[in-house]
Structure formats: structure tokens, C-alpha cells
Amino acid sequence: MASHRKSRTPGTRVAGIRTPALATAALTSVALLSQTANASPGEDRPSLEEVEKKVGDLYRQAESATEKYNAAKEKTTKQRKRVDTLLDDVAQRTQKLNEARAELGSYAAAQYRTGAGLPDTATFLLAETPQDIFDQRQVLDRMTGRQKAAVDDYVTQQTETMKKRQEATESLRTLTETQGDLKTAKATVQKKLADARELLSKLTAEEKARLAAIEKRKQEEAARKAAELARQQAEQEQAREEAAQQDGGASEGSGSGSTGATETPPADSSYGTKAEKALAFARAQIGKPYVWGATGPGSYDCSGLTQAAWKAAGVSLPRTTYDQVNAGTTVPVSQAQPGDLVFFYDDVTHVGIYIGNGMMIHAPKPGAYVREESIYYDGDSAIHSVVRPA
């Protein structure tokens, strides 16, 4: 589904939402200034709604780059550990190879001392007694068996060492590439944020006020949508309770009961217990700043917050939104329960943790703080999916 922003009609105000309206308004207005600075007087000036959308896209691009940075950083960490392990393994195998080589050398010296390289006729002629010939044959037979085992061991160690060296070389190459991806993603995020700071410096008070009004209308519309979802969920819960009571009565009277429910089964009590812990952690982070690539405890990005919240509940989630979206069971938005993860946009670049009544806790974007907000903060179409992680 495409992400877009529309002008919303006024509705009810969302209590408890901390919105950096000035920051949003500033960025949106400056985008207009930067686009029209060199425009001729006769050109039409974009509407504030169009400018606001473009700035929203700028935020999303920065957040998308942040998730790519997170993925590259995680991959780099894993790859570095693998390289270290392989290098240690190569060192150990090289030591074994040297030991096998030394053993072969000892056998070569023994052959020289015992005359093992002489022809059978010469060995017979040089022996003083038949018993000497017999004893020498016995020693050489035993030595030949051990020598063959030593040669086989040497060849095996040499082959395995070469293989591990090749693996280490390939892993080092992959690590270098991943570090390049990490550097590129970091540079992209920094550029987006630098552009935003530059645009902010050019805002006027009048533009801030006008764009703040647009932001306020969006918040009110989002609050109205959240209230509507809360009403629908309350009706669904009441219907389930009534159906359960009816099924209970039928079971008592006939010994059997059936339902025609097609909804996703409610989460079990163990999920509810874990979700409470995750939400308690998330609420304790409200007011902390969004910082790209951060996983706490002083600041978070969106996926860093959800990962940390569920970790507090004993559930391990992947680092990025791209992986978190596959770390559970997808449920309809209408059946979202507290603790579920709400993902946004077609490229799955944002996530929040659902708290009920159409609301979530999330780390919104650069310049903002962890806060409660309607899941409709960017419109219906921005919601990608809802996932129950445990």
C-alpha cells in the first residue's frame, strides 16, 4: 500500500500525545523554501499539504536508511565473529600441520639411520645373523604402518587447513563489503538529517504556525480513527463474551457445543502476561529521544524500542523491522491486542507496540521522542500489518 498524507477534518484531541509539531512544521516548510528558492515569480507555489508530504517522505527515507544501517551493523558484528573464529581455527590447524610435518621428518631420519631405504639383498648381506634380519623386518613393518598413518594425517591436516584459509579469506571479503554497506547507510542517514537541520534554519514563524495547524488536524483525525477502532474492538469483545456464555449454556444442556467463529483466536494468558511486561518497559521509555541506530537505554530508534520492550518480557526479537515483521503471527488490525507489533509502509520501515484502543507506543522519527500515538498517525494506508510476536 502506498504511503500518502491527506488533509484531515477536525476531530477529537488525543490526550497524552507529545508531538514535536514545530519540528514537523519546520521541516515541511523548509522543503518548500528549498524547492522554490530559484523558481520564477510566475511559477505556482506548492500547497502546504504537498510540502508536508515531501518532508514526511524525507523522514521516511532517513528511517529506511536507519533500518539498512541496523541490518548492516548486525551483519558486520556476526561476520566479524565468524572471521575471528575461522582465524583461530586456521591457527590451530596450522599448528597441527606443523606437528604432522615434524613427525614425517622424524620417520625420514629413522629410515636413514636404520637403512630402510636399502634393497633387500644389501640388507641381507649386511646383517650379522639371521635373527638381525628378522628383528629389522619387524621394526620396519611397524614403522611403515605408523609412517603411512603419519602421511595420511599430514595430507588431511593440509587439506583442511587450506579449506579453512579459503573460508577465512571469503569471510574477510564479505566483512569488507558489509562494512561498506554500513558506511553507506550511515552516510545516507547523516545526509538526510543534515538537510533537515539546514532547512529548519530557514523557517519563519508564520510558516511554523500554518504547518503546526496542519499537523494538529492530522492528529485529530488520527485520534478519531483510533476511537473508532477502540469501539469496534469493544463490540467484538462483547460479542465473544456473549457467544461464550451461550456456548456454555448449550454445553450444559446437551453436552456439546459449536461455534462458527472465523476470527483469529484470542491470545492466551501467557501472551497477555508477557505483553504486560513489554508494555511496562515501553511506557518507562516515554520521553526518551529517537536516535537512529540506538537500542537504549538512553535513546531508541523504532525497532530498537520494540526489540528492547519484548526482551524485557523474555522474548528475543530480531534487530530490524524487516525481520521483526516475520517474527510472529499476522493478525487483522481489528483484532490487534496490547503487545502486538504494528508495522508501517510498503517497505516496512517503521514499527510501534500496540497498547489498545487504537493507540501505540513508538519512537517516531529524528527530532522526536518516544511517545503514545494513534496507529493512524499517518493515515489508514500507512499501516502495513499487525504481528503477534509470542
Side-chain angles (χ1 to χ4, degrees):
M1 60 190 77
S3 171
H4 63 278
R5 301 172 183 255
K6 300 179 181 178
S7 178
R8 304 294 190 181
T9 57
T12 58
R13 179 177 179 275
V14 180
I17 297 180
R18 294 183 237 183
T19 303
L22 292 183
T24 302
L27 280 173
T28 54
S29 180
V30 175
L32 171 61
L33 292 176
S34 64
Q35 280 197 333
T36 60
N38 299 321
S40 63
E43 292 181 353
D44 292 335
R45 188 181 180 89
S47 68
L48 288 176
E49 288 79 5
E50 291 173 334
V51 175
E52 198 272 344
K53 178 185 180 302
K54 291 178 181 179
V55 173
D57 290 341
L58 177 63
Y59 272 131
R60 281 192 55 207
Q61 290 166 14
E63 193 162 37
S64 176
T66 296
E67 290 303 313
K68 291 178 181 177
Y69 170 86
N70 292 339
K73 184 177 180 180
E74 185 177 44
K75 185 177 180 181
T76 297
T77 301
K78 292 179 179 179
Q79 199 66 32
R80 184 176 288 111
K81 289 180 179 178
R82 173 168 171 75
V83 168
D84 290 343
T85 300
L86 285 173
L87 290 177
D88 288 343
D89 192 13
V90 167
Q92 293 173 4
R93 291 183 183 279
T94 300
Q95 177 62 29
K96 291 180 179 179
L97 183 63
N98 291 335
E99 292 172 356
R101 185 183 292 115
E103 188 174 3
L104 283 180
S106 68
Y107 281 124
Q111 281 183 326
Y112 177 79
R113 289 193 303 270
T114 60
L118 294 176
D120 290 343
T121 302
T123 301
F124 175 78
L125 292 174
L126 291 174
E128 294 182 0
T129 66
Q131 184 63 41
D132 288 342
I133 297 175
F134 178 78
D135 292 343
Q136 190 176 51
R137 284 295 183 188
Q138 290 292 100
V139 171
L140 290 177
D141 286 344
R142 290 196 298 271
M143 183 179 293
T144 300
R146 291 196 298 270
Q147 183 179 9
K148 182 178 184 303
V151 171
D152 291 343
D153 182 57
Y154 177 81
V155 172
T156 299
Q157 294 295 339
Q158 186 180 46
T159 301
E160 292 181 353
T161 300
M162 290 179 63
K163 180 180 179 181
K164 289 299 180 181
R165 282 175 177 167
Q166 290 173 350
E167 288 182 18
T169 300
E170 179 63 21
S171 292
L172 282 171
R173 184 189 65 78
T174 303
L175 176 60
T176 300
E177 292 177 353
T178 305
Q179 288 175 328
D181 294 340
L182 183 66
K183 184 178 180 180
T184 299
K186 183 176 181 179
T188 300
V189 175
Q190 291 176 331
K191 184 179 185 305
K192 298 295 182 182
L193 298 182
D195 290 345
R197 285 191 293 268
E198 181 181 357
L199 294 176
L200 279 170
S201 67
K202 300 177 182 178
L203 282 175
T204 67
E206 187 271 338
E207 288 168 334
K208 289 180 181 180
R210 291 169 61 195
L211 290 173
I214 293 177
E215 182 68 19
K216 182 180 179 181
R217 289 197 297 270
K218 286 184 59 182
Q219 291 176 14
E220 291 170 344
E221 175 62 14
R224 187 190 67 77
K225 288 279 189 180
E228 176 63 19
L229 177 59
R231 184 188 62 78
Q232 293 176 359
Q233 290 180 329
E235 291 176 351
Q236 290 175 2
E237 180 62 25
Q238 182 178 1
R240 279 195 294 268
E241 292 177 355
E242 292 176 353
Q245 291 176 356
Q246 292 176 358
D247 288 346
S251 177
E252 291 177 2
S254 62
S256 64
S258 62
T259 64
T262 59
E263 296 181 349
T264 302
D268 58 29
S269 59
S270 64
Y271 177 81
T273 301
K274 293 176 183 177
E276 287 178 3
K277 293 179 180 179
L279 290 175
F281 179 92
R283 287 192 176 95
Q285 313 314 308
I286 291 177
K288 293 183 179 181
Y290 175 105
V291 174
W292 64 274
T295 57
S299 57
Y300 297 89
D301 63 17
C302 65
S303 56
L305 176 63
T306 52
Q307 182 188 47
W310 271 103
K311 183 179 180 180
V315 176
S316 178
L317 290 181
R319 175 62 183 94
T320 68
T321 54
Y322 312 130
D323 293 325
Q324 287 183 10
V325 74
N326 296 316
T329 303
T330 301
V331 299
V333 174
S334 62
Q335 296 176 35
Q337 295 187 15
D340 291 351
L341 302 178
V342 186
F343 294 90
F344 297 87
Y345 311 117
D346 286 346
D347 52 359
V348 198
T349 52
H350 189 67
V351 63
I353 183 167
Y354 191 68
I355 62 176
N357 296 325
M359 303 289 288
M360 67 178 174
I361 296 174
H362 68 149
K365 56 191 174 184
Y369 298 85
V370 176
R371 67 191 188 215
E372 292 184 10
E373 192 162 32
S374 168
I375 65 173
Y376 299 103
Y377 78 105
D378 203 16
D380 300 56
S381 62
I383 299 176
H384 176 275
S385 58
V386 178
V387 172
R388 190 158 296 155

